[in-house]
Structures are given as C-alpha cells and as structure tokens.
C-alpha cells in the first residue's frame, strides 16, 4: 500500500487498546479450522477469499454470532484468546481490554462461565509471558438478547470480578430498547466493584449517550462519536471526564462515516474530549491497530507524540489496577 511521508511503520510503537470484542478478533482461519473439526457448516459467512462477509450492521451481528457459534468449549476460547493476543502483540499492543460475553461462553451458566473464563485467563497469562501483552476482561451483555439475559451476564461478572475481570459493559444492537432497560445489571456490576462502559453513540445518536451517562452512569463510552451531534452534550461528557473508546476503522467499515477524513475523532479531541483508539473487531473490519494509526496519520497528520498522548489517556481510563497503570506508563515512555 502507498504511504506518505508521515506514515512511518508504527508496528513497534507501544499501544493501549480499550475496545476489542474477543470473538470479534477471531481470525477467519481459526473459525474455519474449528468449524471443520466439528463438522459445522458456516461457509455462508465467508467470501471467496476467506474473509467474513456482511452488508450492514445487523448482518454483521448475525455473521458474528454464526462465527462465534463454533466456539463451544473452554479450549476453543483458549485457542481464540491466544490467536487474538498474538495478533495484537504483533501490532505493538502492550495492553488490551477485551469484551468477554458469558452468553457465548456456555449460555451464561455460572459453572460454564467459570470454566471458559479460566481457559481465557490461562491463555492471557501465557500471552503475557510469550509476547509481553497484558490483557484484562470486561464482561459484556448483549443488548439485543434482552434485559433478562443481561442480568445473568451481570451475575457472572459480579461473581468473577477480580484482578483480571475489571469491568462490565454492553454490546450488540444499540437500537434495541433503551440503555435504562439494563440499569439493574449495571447497578449489580457497579456494586461488585466493576467499572462500566456501554456501546453508545455508535448508532443511537446523542440520546443514547445521554441515557448511558444518566441511567447507567458509565465512566467510558463504546464509540460515543455521535456526541458530536450535540455540543451541550460534548460539554457534559468533558465535565464528567468520560473517555471515548473510538474505533474509526469500524465506523468507516460500517458506513457511519464515509471515510476517515470525515470521522469526528480529531474534532472531538480538539474540543477537549478524551479520545482513545481501538479496532473493535479487527478481521471483520479489515483493520489492525497499526492500520488505525496509519490512517489517522494520513488523515490528520497525527504523529508519534499525538499517539503517545492518546495512549496515556487510555492508560488513565483503563480499568486495571494502579500498579499496572504505572508499569504501562513506563513502557509507553521507554519502548
Ligand atoms: N458493535 C456492537 N456490538 C458488537 C460489536 C460492535 O462492533 N462487535 C461485537 N458486538
Ligand atoms: Zn464494539
């Protein structure tokens, strides 16, 4: 690919990622391999050249769920976690917060969740030793599965909150119901000591962000970029010190913005909003952390110092303990 003078190779620059769906990081090859081993035919979700294929967000969610359906055992999640973290580490990611969904790990059954989680954590520990990448988990409910299922996910989160499981969040179809429908689950998670984030302002506009901050009282917003529609709300999220988990490549891939140049991340940053950069579901959206950085460099002339500032903001907004934060800040400065 062509690159201008600004887009130096940034593979080795240390990066902090706050918004990554674990299953959304699944290399298509791994999903095909596991489906073959289990004799499950999901060929319909792949294009001829082997990539995930979908037309729009709704179809993306159903392709995502079909791909995820072949992952049925703790060992499958061990393999998934290793594959995802290896990819991330190759892109210079030194810390990642991954969304983990009990709904996809044994249907939110507590015992099954514990088994899946143990396998994920084992893989994460190995990845730290092998590739120097640190992972923490944010348990997520799936919005379009409804508030009842979300309660089960929140119970799983509350029961397993520890050094590894740091937060609770919500993904899925943002146009399904209201954020407030899920307040019971978010209250439960908060009381268990978990930090909170929810997908808001990816599809649901400014109103969805208002609900997320008022009804769920989250400290971060997944995407949140549609806040740009309402300047008084921009002011409010700055006052509340809410950090945005911005995923520019995902937004462009799903046509929320026609191209990276028209993406509001730079404008929001100039207005004083704390923004961070993540991939969301990298193979689905044909992106990597390196590519995100390259596109931002090309579009907005961002340089190493800009990314360093973003990564420091990401550490500050991370859900991990302070000791880990201090180590990450050191790594950002020395690597
Ligand atoms: N948005 C919302 N929900 C999701 C996504 C996403 O990009 N990926 C997996 N679940
Ligand atoms: Zn997401």
């Amino acid at each position: 690919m062509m690159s201008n003078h600004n887009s130096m190779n940034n593979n080795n620059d240390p990066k902090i990622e706050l918004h990554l769906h674990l299953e959304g990081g699944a290399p298509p090859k791994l999903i095909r391999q596991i489906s073959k081993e289990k004799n499950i035919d999901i060929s319909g979700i792949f294009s001829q050249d082997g990539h995930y294929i979908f037309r729009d967000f709704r179809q993306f969610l159903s392709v995502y769920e079909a791909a995820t359906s072949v992952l049925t055992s703790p060992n499958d999640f061990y393999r998934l976690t290793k594959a995802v973290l290896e990819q991330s580490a190759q892109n210079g990611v030194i810390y990642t917060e991954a969304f983990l969904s009990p709904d996809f790990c044994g249907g939110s059954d507590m015992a099954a969740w514990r088994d899946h989680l143990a396998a994920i954590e084992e893989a994460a520990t190995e990845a730290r030793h092998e590739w120097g990448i640190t992972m923490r988990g944010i348990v997520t409910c799936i919005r379009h599965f409804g508030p009842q299922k979300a309660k089960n996910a929140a119970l799983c989160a509350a029961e397993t909150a520890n050094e590894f499981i740091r937060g609770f969040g919500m993904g899925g179809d943002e146009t399904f119901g209201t954020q407030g429908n899920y307040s019971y689950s978010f209250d439960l998670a908060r009381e268990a000591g978990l930090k909170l984030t929810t997908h808001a302002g990816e599809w649901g506009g400014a109103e969805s962000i208002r609900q997320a901050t008022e009804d769920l009282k989250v400290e971060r917003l997944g995407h949140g970029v549609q806040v740009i529609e309402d300047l008084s709300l921009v002011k409010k999220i700055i006052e509340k010190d809410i950090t945005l988990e911005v995923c520019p490549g995902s937004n462009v891939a799903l046509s929320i913005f026609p191209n990276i140049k028209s993406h509001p991340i730079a404008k929001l940053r100039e207005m004083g909003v704390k923004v961070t950069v993540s991939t969301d579901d990298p193979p689905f959206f044909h992106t990597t952390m390196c590519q995100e950085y390259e596109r931002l460099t090309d579009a907005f002339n961002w340089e190493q110092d800009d990314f360093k500032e973003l990564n420091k903001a990401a550490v500050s907004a991370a859900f991990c303990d302070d000791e880990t934060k201090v180590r990450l800040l050191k790594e950002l400065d020395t690597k």
Side-chain angles (χ1 to χ4, degrees):
M1 216 184 235
M2 282 286 291
S3 57
N4 69 20
H5 63 284
N6 280 324
S7 46
M8 289 173 294
N9 183 318
N10 61 52
N11 285 25
N12 294 323
D13 291 351
K15 303 174 186 72
I16 308 289
E17 181 162 41
L18 299 181
H19 190 116
L20 172 72
H21 299 262
L22 184 66
E23 307 87 7
K29 236 172 103 179
L30 177 69
I31 295 297
R32 265 197 304 280
Q33 174 63 31
I34 295 178
S35 68
K36 209 169 110 195
E37 289 165 14
K38 298 184 180 179
N39 259 318
I40 306 171
D41 181 15
I42 50 159
S43 52
I45 68 169
F46 297 113
S47 64
Q48 285 206 321
D49 58 0
H51 295 292
Y52 298 113
I53 187 166
F54 48 87
R55 275 187 314 271
D56 53 27
F57 181 61
R58 290 272 164 79
Q59 207 185 24
F60 156 74
L61 289 175
S62 84
V63 166
Y64 186 98
E65 282 163 32
T68 303
S69 72
V70 310
L71 306 166
T72 53
S73 70
N75 185 247
D76 295 336
F77 275 84
Y78 167 87
R79 290 163 74 185
L80 170 67
T81 306
K82 282 302 281 276
V84 170
L85 293 180
E86 184 174 19
Q87 282 289 316
S88 295
Q90 281 169 357
N91 280 272
V93 177
I94 59 168
Y95 176 83
T96 192
E97 282 181 8
F99 295 126
L100 314 176
S101 304
D103 285 291
F104 298 140
C105 295
S108 282
D109 172 79
M110 189 71 73
W113 164 243
R114 286 187 188 281
D115 289 345
H116 284 74
L117 180 58
I120 292 168
E121 197 170 352
E122 183 189 346
T125 302
E126 288 178 15
R128 169 88 201 276
H129 292 132
E130 287 171 41
W131 307 308
I133 181 170
T134 299
M135 170 186 163
R136 295 290 185 262
I138 300 172
V139 173
T140 43
C141 61
I142 315 287
R143 184 155 167 173
H144 56 276
F145 291 179
Q148 190 54 46
K149 290 230 162 117
K151 281 184 195 175
N152 294 337
L155 279 170
C156 286
E159 279 291 312
T160 55
N162 62 10
E163 283 294 292
F164 184 66
I165 293 297
R166 307 297 305 170
F168 182 72
M170 177 159 64
D173 188 348
E174 195 192 337
T175 64
F176 183 95
T178 65
Q179 302 274 10
N181 293 155
Y182 300 85
S183 61
Y184 180 95
S185 295
F186 279 75
D187 288 345
L188 184 74
R190 185 185 307 102
E191 280 160 26
L194 292 161
K195 308 266 192 191
L196 305 175
T197 178
T198 184
H199 283 63
E202 179 190 16
W203 299 100
E207 178 53 30
S208 173
I209 294 171
R210 209 168 289 116
Q211 290 172 15
T213 56
E214 288 172 11
D215 301 341
L216 303 184
K217 302 183 183 63
V218 294
E219 30 234 315
R220 297 196 326 225
L221 294 168
H223 300 283
V225 285
Q226 290 178 324
V227 73
I228 198 86
E229 294 166 5
D230 180 343
L231 296 185
S232 69
L233 193 59
V234 170
K235 219 174 123 203
K236 228 176 249 169
I237 65 163
I238 293 171
E239 278 165 14
K240 291 190 177 188
D241 203 27
I242 288 173
T243 295
L244 305 192
E245 305 154 7
V246 184
C247 309
S250 162
N251 294 157
V252 172
L254 290 171
S255 301
I256 294 171
F257 304 101
N259 51 55
I260 183 74
K261 271 204 158 58
S262 56
H263 193 284
I265 185 169
K267 209 167 178 188
L268 288 167
R269 181 173 175 239
E270 281 160 27
M271 293 165 110
V273 178
K274 285 192 180 144
V275 300
T276 59
V277 175
S278 296
T279 56
D280 214 5
D281 308 277
F284 284 86
F285 301 138
H286 303 281
T287 189
T288 62
M289 278 295 266
C290 287
Q291 282 181 55
E292 294 294 328
Y293 281 43
E294 263 167 45
R295 287 176 193 147
L296 290 166
T297 298
D298 288 346
F300 306 118
N301 291 317
W302 285 1
E303 295 173 0
Q304 232 175 7
D305 282 351
D306 295 285
F307 290 113
K308 188 167 267 191
E309 183 192 295
L310 253 56
N311 279 310
K312 286 187 173 172
V315 170
S316 160
F319 289 168
C320 60
D321 60 283
D322 287 344
E323 201 181 311
T324 305
K325 290 188 183 198
V326 170
R327 171 170 63 80
L328 293 172
L329 287 176
K330 225 178 265 169
E331 283 186 49
L332 285 178
D333 273 330
T334 53
K335 277 199 176 172

